[in-house]
């Protein structure tokens, strides 16, 4: 979901599109299509790349690793949405390199755990104004 677009609005658009397709070609369906929603859905959340939080964390990352971090939008829901959108606390997700998240083969690259801790240390030092 894009920020500013409600779940109800997106669902209504999906349902209109399905109903329109069924009405346009009624012989294509042995049974009229029915839209069902499963799982959690929420409005999207976004922190602008020029936000102080993003700039500060990116700076710490670049100083430690020598390259700018990739700023990536994801389609999954995280606690960042809860704290940012609902709680008004600007939030980003940052952590070690992982593969297969939340699956049977979930794993994390151990050296990136150390790098993440080091970047967070620099970020906290900067954020708190410690020389």
């Amino acid at each position: 979901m894009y920020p500013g677009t409600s779940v109800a609005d997106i669902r209504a658009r999906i349902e209109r599109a399905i109903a329109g397709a069924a009405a346009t070609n009624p012989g294509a369906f042995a049974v009229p299509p029915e839209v069902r929603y499963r799982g959690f859905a929420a409005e999207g959340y976004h922190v602008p790349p020029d936000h102080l939080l993003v700039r500060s964390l990116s700076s710490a990352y670049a100083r430690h690793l020598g390259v700018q971090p990739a700023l990536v939008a994801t389609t999954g829901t995280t606690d960042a949405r809860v704290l940012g959108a609902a709680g008004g606390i600007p939030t980003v997700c940052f952590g070690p390199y992982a593969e297969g998240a939340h699956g049977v083969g979930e794993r994390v690259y151990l050296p990136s755990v150390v790098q993440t801790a080091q970047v967070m240390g620099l970020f906290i030092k900067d954020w708190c104004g410690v020389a």
Side-chain angles (χ1 to χ4, degrees):
M1 308 281 178
Y2 289 108
T5 304
S6 75
V7 173
D9 288 345
I10 295 295
R11 287 181 174 174
R13 286 177 59 192
I14 291 168
E15 291 164 20
R16 281 193 307 270
I18 297 298
T24 301
N25 193 358
F29 303 96
V31 176
E34 176 185 342
V35 179
R36 294 182 188 171
Y37 301 99
R38 295 191 176 133
F40 180 76
E43 182 178 320
Y45 169 68
H46 175 256
V47 176
D50 63 346
H51 189 281
L52 178 61
L53 171 65
V54 178
R55 289 193 335 258
S56 298
L57 184 55
S58 294
S59 173
Y61 182 98
R63 287 194 331 269
H64 184 63
L65 297 172
V67 295
Q68 288 294 320
L71 302 181
V72 179
T74 65
T75 57
T77 297
T78 69
D79 290 343
R81 180 197 62 82
V82 175
L83 295 170
I89 301 169
T91 310
V92 297
C93 294
F94 174 72
Y97 178 76
E99 293 177 334
H102 310 300
V104 174
E106 180 176 19
R107 59 198 169 277
V108 66
Y109 182 60
L110 290 178
S112 73
V113 174
V114 174
Q115 288 176 338
T116 298
Q118 291 167 332
V119 170
M120 289 302 296
L122 284 174
F123 167 74
I124 291 167
K125 182 176 91 47
D126 293 347
W127 193 262
C128 294
V130 175

